[in-house]
Amino acid sequence: MIEDLIGEWEKLESPACAALYPVRISFLANGNYQGSAAVSGTFTLWDVGSYELIKDDELELSTATDAVKSYRFALADDVMSLTDEADCRFTYRRVV
């Protein structure tokens, strides 16, 4: 299932609680990711780091603060839904 994450994703649904998450994120085959903020130089919680699939519905990412955080997630076709520890839900669509 980790192969299903590899690629570039663009944020679709972005409630106010998800403002710290990048507008684009690329998951690489080597277990690393790179996020992009809407405005260059703006803080994003997922800038660069590593990711790991913990369970079929749980993804762990290292963050810009060096903390490793777990997120519930689901994939449906080319849409990925994520929910953080504060129950903030946001979605990304695969673009590449």
Side-chain angles (χ1 to χ4, degrees):
M1 179 123 159
I2 195 78
E3 300 83 26
D4 296 333
L5 291 175
I6 297 168
E8 202 163 314
W9 300 80
E10 185 172 68
K11 196 184 278 183
L12 284 177
E13 182 186 358
S14 184
C17 63
L20 291 178
Y21 297 104
V23 295
R24 268 180 106 94
I25 187 166
S26 296
F27 289 101
L28 308 174
N30 65 2
N32 291 324
Y33 75 86
Q34 182 172 352
S36 303
V39 177
S40 183
T42 303
F43 179 80
T44 181
L45 189 59
W46 301 340
D47 56 353
V48 293
S50 60
Y51 70 95
E52 183 177 355
L53 187 63
I54 301 301
K55 300 178 191 170
D56 285 344
D57 65 346
E58 187 177 349
L59 185 64
E60 217 173 56
L61 286 97
S62 61
T63 67
T65 62
D66 293 331
V68 176
K69 303 255 182 181
S70 291
Y71 300 86
R72 289 188 322 263
F73 85 103
L75 289 173
D77 297 321
D78 285 337
V79 175
M80 175 174 43
S81 303
L82 294 130
T83 306
D84 68 14
E85 60 194 14
D87 214 29
C88 177
R89 184 180 178 277
F90 48 102
T91 58
Y92 288 86
R93 180 187 68 223
R94 182 187 307 276
V95 291
V96 178

